[in-house]
Amino acid sequence: MLYVLGVVLAFVGIALSIALHEVGHLVPAKKFGVRVPQYMVGFGPTMWSRTRGETEYGVKAVPLGGYIRMIGMFPPAKGQDPTMTRASSTGRFGQLADEARKQSLEEIRPGDDGRMFYQLPVWKRVVVMMGGPTVNLLIALVLFTGIFTLHGVAVATPKISSVSECVDITSAGQQARTECTSDMPLAPANEAGLKPGDTITAVNGTSVSTWDDVRQAIRDNLGAPLTLTVTRDGDPMTLEADPIVLDLPVYDENGQLQHDDDGEVVTERAGFLGASGSREMQEQPVTAVPGLFWDQVEQTYGLLVRIPEKLVGVAEAAFGSAERDPNGPMSVVGVGRIAGEVASSDAFGDTREKAVLLVSLLASLNLVLFAFNTIPLLPLDGGHVAGALWEALKKGWARVRGRPDPGPVDVAKALPLAYGVALAFIAMTVLLVYADFVKPIRLT
């Protein structure tokens, strides 16, 4: 029952995100006077609809998207009478553009002059087309702000969670060990008397507040004697340690391992203690939200850039024996399965923890919708924005050179590319849905 509830909640969240995305287009379009005959959530047969004013509002059978239909999305061909629908080209691609212009012109009624999308100033077209993605961005911002400030983020604290018994300095990885042999030296933290539960408050007299502070101080100290100020059971005490120098991996500012051009982990000679900090949830101030949210945006675009590479892995998993990448893309089917798994499994904590995970999933989905729709390719919103900006550039250049206004950019000419992009998206969706059935991503 809880599994079904999780799936239902996920699909409701997805449907609301899509519906609000389209509202983001609808509101500015109507504000700017564009006639909008349809507002639809989903694709396929219409399940329900009502007409209010000049717009039909409805829900369709397949909840995998949505759209609003604005009149005048495609301008007439250059030199063509806007009231005429004759073909202006005999080429296959040209005929596609002519057919799109014809369908666009057939929607125009008497009195619609000045209410067509292509007649809007460039900045208004950009506002209309970016309205949808912006709504998804705002939804993600609101949800992540709630998570960051009310629930917190996992922070590595200087409270010791574990202390290594010894160090295997003979292995290539020079790793800390819990099972020791006679030729393995004691870990410096163990030898110094550091214990799980201790909290390091200062290193060599310098106060520390995070485990990153502690780790960096130890690494920079190399093999020199180290003074640790710790709190144990509420009482302060001082410990002396003698770090050893090992080849340790280098981390970037996001805490990720750095790799060289050959894909090998970058290492450096650094001091080693043999203890680990604890990860705890800490509520963040509102002032920390912009930086934390920007990290989420960067990660989303990073995933978007790697989608072709990730899809290869998805195909290998779906049609072979490879495992799915838990950080790879998934379809709405996969999102539903993850939501059901979170809701029904005790492995994800109590009800509050599960709710946070589900909200985080919805926030991440809205960031993906934002990033995806800013790709400058038709039929995505970013493609229409790119067309409007290209028109502004052409008109500006014409003014500078003292030439006549070149008129609106004929985005209908880009329809062959748009159909190709749409087919690629459909193929990607089919692959992800199939993979999410036969080899789903599992969190447990």
Side-chain angles (χ1 to χ4, degrees), residues 3 16 93 99 106 140 151 155 176 182 226 282 299 351 366 384 389 422:
Y3 186 93
L16 285 174
F93 290 158
E99 183 62 27
E106 285 174 349
H151 179 71
V155 176
S182 58
L226 198 67
Q282 291 186 357
Q299 291 173 21
T351 302
N366 273 275
H384 291 283
L389 295 179

Side-chain angles (χ1 to χ4, degrees), residues 12-343:
V12 169
I14 292 171
L16 285 174
S17 298
I18 293 171
L20 291 173
H21 173 100
E22 299 306 329
V23 168
H25 293 308
L26 179 72
V27 171
K30 284 182 168 287
K31 180 70 174 178
F32 296 147
V34 178
R35 185 163 67 82
V36 184
Q38 273 192 325
Y39 165 94
M40 289 287 168
V41 177
F43 296 105
T46 300
M47 306 298 292
W48 172 89
S49 72
R50 290 288 185 275
T51 300
R52 295 289 183 270
E54 59 188 13
T55 304
E56 178 190 11
Y57 301 86
V59 177
K60 290 183 174 286
V62 184
L64 295 179
Y67 65 93
I68 66 168
R69 199 170 85 244
M70 297 178 285
I71 64 167
M73 287 296 294
F74 300 112
K78 190 173 183 179
Q80 180 181 349
D81 185 341
T83 63
M84 301 295 293
T85 59
R86 64 178 179 83
S88 61
S89 174
T90 58
R92 181 177 300 177
F93 290 158
Q95 288 177 354
L96 286 175
D98 285 336
E99 183 62 27
R101 294 190 196 98
K102 179 180 178 180
Q103 291 178 359
S104 180
L105 290 170
E106 285 174 349
E107 292 184 317
I108 298 173
R109 304 184 307 204
D112 281 341
D113 187 34
R115 302 193 64 193
M116 290 174 272
F117 178 74
Y118 79 84
Q119 293 177 317
L120 291 177
V122 167
W123 71 270
K124 289 186 177 181
R125 272 179 278 162
V126 171
V127 169
V128 171
M129 298 315 301
M130 283 303 297
T134 301
V135 167
N136 293 127
L137 184 67
L138 291 175
I139 292 173
L141 176 59
V142 170
L143 295 179
F144 273 124
T145 297
I147 293 172
F148 296 151
T149 58
L150 301 178
H151 179 71
V153 298
V155 176
T157 69
K159 183 177 180 179
I160 303 302
S161 62
S162 64
V163 176
S164 302
E165 291 290 331
C166 53
V167 183
D168 185 358
I169 61 175
T170 62
S171 69
Q174 300 180 331
Q175 297 175 342
R177 300 287 186 180
T178 55
E179 296 180 2
C180 304
T181 61
S182 58
D183 61 341
M184 295 181 187
L186 289 176
N190 185 19
E191 193 172 21
L194 198 63
K195 297 181 181 299
D198 291 349
T199 299
I200 300 176
T201 58
V203 178
N204 286 338
T206 301
S207 297
V208 292
S209 58
T210 69
W211 182 249
D212 287 340
D213 295 338
V214 175
R215 181 173 59 184
Q216 194 60 51
I218 295 169
R219 293 172 74 108
D220 293 344
N221 191 73
L222 295 175
L226 198 67
T227 300
L228 301 174
T229 304
V230 304
T231 300
R232 180 178 296 170
D233 297 327
D235 298 322
M237 60 188 306
T238 301
L239 302 175
E240 301 295 332
D242 295 306
I244 56 178
V245 179
L246 301 177
D247 292 318
L248 299 178
V250 177
Y251 297 87
D252 61 21
E253 59 184 10
N254 296 319
Q256 303 297 315
L257 289 172
Q258 291 189 18
H259 296 81
D260 59 22
D261 294 337
D262 297 325
E264 299 294 327
V265 175
V266 177
T267 62
E268 65 179 4
R269 300 291 285 174
F272 177 80
L273 193 64
S276 300
S278 302
R279 295 193 71 82
E280 299 177 356
M281 300 303 297
Q282 291 186 357
E283 296 178 0
Q284 301 296 303
V286 174
T287 53
V289 169
L292 293 169
F293 185 67
W294 179 249
D295 290 342
Q296 297 293 325
V297 174
E298 283 188 324
Q299 291 173 21
T300 302
Y301 273 105
L303 175 62
L304 205 62
V305 170
R306 296 192 299 274
I307 275 186
E309 170 193 344
K310 296 285 187 180
L311 288 177
V312 173
V314 173
E316 290 174 346
F319 301 105
S321 58
E323 292 297 321
R324 288 285 297 274
D325 178 0
N327 296 315
M330 68 180 79
S331 69
V332 291
V333 173
V335 172
R337 295 188 72 146
I338 291 294
E341 186 179 340
V342 169

